[in-house]
Amino acid sequence: MVWLKRRGMWTLRLVTAVSAAVAVAACGAAGIDDGDSGGREARYKRAIEDPHPQPSDVIEAAGAPTGVVRADDGSLLLSYDLRNVEDDEGPAAFAWRIVGPDGRTVAEHAEHGNAEATRTTFKGVAGGFVRVPSGEGADGAYLLDVRGKRHKVVITDTPMRTRPGDILLSEPEPTLVYRTATRTVAPPAGVADDAILVAVDERGTVWSLAQFLTDEPNRVVRQRDGRTLGSRAVPYSDSGGILVAGGATAALSLTQSEDVRGLLVTTDDGEHWQTVRDGGIPWKTLKGGPVSLGLELLTDGRLLVGEEGGRYWLADDRTNRAFHELRTPAPFTSFAVDGTTLYGIADSTTATYGLVKGEGLWISHDGGREWRQYKQRR
């Protein structure tokens, strides 16, 4: 996974930087305001109450996407979600729009729903986007190609040994991976029943956090082709952390009770580990504690740490010993990383008829030094 929840957009697949052809507007653009709040409310209500909503109506009423993922050709899938403003129950609407590498709309779709349903999310893969199943099992998974055509995937309960290119689709319950070559969704083989966090890197290595019910400390376990390659004891015993892996780097956020204590990091494929308890990040004062923490890994080995709807820190280099705070053009309610490209979404934290200042999707290709606001091309 957006950063509205710890398992949201922060778990996007790591791929190469997004195409520069995507149309953007200069950083510092004013917030959106159509000057007609009553009209917006009416359009919003019509969109969520319509049994067959139009994608453009849902997207216009939403104002900002709730998620963004990228396919290997540079195409983007933007997700939009409308919820009942007055109540946690009631009607809702969902839409997605696929934007090609040139920034133009390729396909879009909308559907009616209810506010209690789990948000629909996707992962970017080779050739398109896979819908992440919700609830128990892999039901609901399918592939959208970059033209917006829907394809079935093979869903099996038989665990398969992970290979290079396999994508972690969901975890921890259920833990599922997606194999592009066969369009197969299955649980990864060899992962212990006591694994509470899982990550899969581009080589097919499975990293997991094994939790023990005894006084023995939790351990980060590294496996490939069904074989255990090594493990590392974790300084703290709580299970509310986040595990990420890519290249030769893996990192686990360390938690204890309601506090985030730092990071456990390896940059040499598990041969050596370091504990980062400072590095320029005020761990003890992060808003929301472990549940609201964001942790993402760029393809150049740098880690990005943040607090939900708050501040964000990017490592100075791939050693991940020191971090600097990012300056953002608007308060972001969600954040994502794709390769070395940063995505921030400015939106309200709850469903509302109005729009916040700077609302929308912001993109940075240079580590957060400059931000551009995404503008749709038709």
Side-chain angles (χ1 to χ4, degrees), residues 83-166:
R83 301 286 170 136
N84 192 353
V85 173
E86 283 81 14
D87 200 331
D88 292 336
E89 302 176 350
F94 169 79
W96 55 257
R97 172 177 281 169
I98 295 177
V99 179
D102 62 355
R104 299 183 186 277
T105 297
V106 174
E108 55 188 18
H109 169 78
E111 56 193 57
H112 182 71
N114 67 81
E116 296 177 282
T118 303
R119 291 181 186 272
T120 300
T121 58
F122 293 85
K123 288 286 186 72
V125 299
F129 315 92
V130 176
R131 185 187 184 277
V132 178
S134 58
E136 296 293 333
D139 291 343
Y142 58 82
L143 173 70
L144 286 175
D145 64 26
V146 294
R147 306 303 301 177
K149 183 178 180 180
R150 181 166 166 169
H151 302 267
K152 292 183 178 180
V153 300
V154 178
I155 299 173
T156 176
D157 294 330
T158 303
M160 63 181 182
R161 291 186 177 183
T162 52
R163 300 175 183 172
D166 287 352

Side-chain angles (χ1 to χ4, degrees), residues 274-332:
Q274 61 175 323
T275 302
V276 179
R277 291 191 175 90
D278 185 10
I281 301 176
W283 300 102
K284 294 182 179 180
T285 61
L286 294 183
K287 296 178 182 178
V291 174
S292 299
L293 183 73
L295 177 63
E296 190 58 271
L297 177 62
L298 282 66
T299 49
D300 60 12
R302 290 180 296 167
L303 290 166
L304 181 65
V305 178
E307 56 187 7
E308 182 178 307
R311 297 170 294 173
Y312 313 90
W313 293 265
L314 180 64
D316 294 342
D317 54 51
R318 67 178 305 274
T319 65
N320 294 300
R321 294 190 178 95
F323 293 75
H324 60 274
E325 187 171 354
L326 295 182
R327 297 180 61 185
T328 60
F332 292 156

Side-chain angles (χ1 to χ4, degrees), residues 21-375:
V22 172
V24 292
C27 174
I32 305 170
D33 183 2
D34 63 6
D36 182 14
S37 59
R40 281 194 53 81
E41 179 176 345
R43 291 193 295 272
Y44 191 107
K45 289 182 175 180
R46 282 198 301 269
I48 64 173
E49 292 170 358
D50 189 340
H52 304 288
Q54 294 297 310
S56 57
D57 293 340
V58 176
I59 292 169
E60 179 185 2
T66 52
V68 53
V69 290
R70 181 187 183 276
D72 60 337
D73 74 336
S75 298
L76 298 179
L77 184 148
L78 307 177
S79 303
Y80 298 85
D81 195 82
L82 291 182
R83 301 286 170 136
N84 192 353
V85 173
E86 283 81 14
D87 200 331
D88 292 336
E89 302 176 350
F94 169 79
W96 55 257
R97 172 177 281 169
I98 295 177
V99 179
D102 62 355
R104 299 183 186 277
T105 297
V106 174
E108 55 188 18
H109 169 78
E111 56 193 57
H112 182 71
N114 67 81
E116 296 177 282
T118 303
R119 291 181 186 272
T120 300
T121 58
F122 293 85
K123 288 286 186 72
V125 299
F129 315 92
V130 176
R131 185 187 184 277
V132 178
S134 58
E136 296 293 333
D139 291 343
Y142 58 82
L143 173 70
L144 286 175
D145 64 26
V146 294
R147 306 303 301 177
K149 183 178 180 180
R150 181 166 166 169
H151 302 267
K152 292 183 178 180
V153 300
V154 178
I155 299 173
T156 176
D157 294 330
T158 303
M160 63 181 182
R161 291 186 177 183
T162 52
R163 300 175 183 172
D166 287 352
I167 304 300
L168 181 66
L169 200 58
S170 65
E171 59 91 24
E173 293 180 3
T175 299
L176 299 168
V177 294
Y178 174 76
R179 180 162 297 165
T180 300
T182 58
R183 292 181 180 171
T184 301
V185 176
V191 179
D193 292 338
D194 53 16
I196 54 176
L197 298 174
V198 179
V200 179
D201 65 26
E202 70 280 2
R203 298 163 300 174
T205 304
V206 178
W207 302 73
S208 61
L209 178 65
Q211 184 180 43
F212 299 98
L213 300 179
T214 65
D215 292 335
E216 184 178 352
N218 294 347
R219 303 189 72 86
V220 177
V221 181
R222 179 168 49 101
Q223 297 170 301
R224 189 179 302 152
D225 198 26
R227 298 181 297 109
T228 298
L229 305 178
S231 67
R232 172 62 156 82
V234 177
Y236 302 104
S237 60
D238 285 8
S239 61
I242 304 173
L243 180 64
V244 296
T249 300
L252 171 72
S253 60
L254 300 174
T255 66
Q256 188 173 46
S257 186
E258 299 299 320
D259 297 323
V260 181
R261 296 291 187 173
L263 301 172
L264 182 65
V265 181
T266 178
T267 58
D268 57 6
D269 203 24
E271 293 297 321
H272 303 88
W273 294 81
Q274 61 175 323
T275 302
V276 179
R277 291 191 175 90
D278 185 10
I281 301 176
W283 300 102
K284 294 182 179 180
T285 61
L286 294 183
K287 296 178 182 178
V291 174
S292 299
L293 183 73
L295 177 63
E296 190 58 271
L297 177 62
L298 282 66
T299 49
D300 60 12
R302 290 180 296 167
L303 290 166
L304 181 65
V305 178
E307 56 187 7
E308 182 178 307
R311 297 170 294 173
Y312 313 90
W313 293 265
L314 180 64
D316 294 342
D317 54 51
R318 67 178 305 274
T319 65
N320 294 300
R321 294 190 178 95
F323 293 75
H324 60 274
E325 187 171 354
L326 295 182
R327 297 180 61 185
T328 60
F332 292 156
T333 48
S334 60
F335 209 97
V337 168
D338 192 315
T340 55
T341 299
L342 309 181
Y343 297 94
I345 293 176
D347 199 359
S348 58
T349 56
T350 58
T352 176
Y353 300 123
L355 300 175
V356 301
K357 183 177 180 180
E359 179 151 341
L361 173 64
W362 295 81
I363 303 173
S364 175
H365 299 290
D366 59 4
R369 288 186 292 273
E370 181 178 355
W371 292 91
R372 303 281 181 172
Q373 190 173 26
Y374 169 82
K375 293 295 183 182

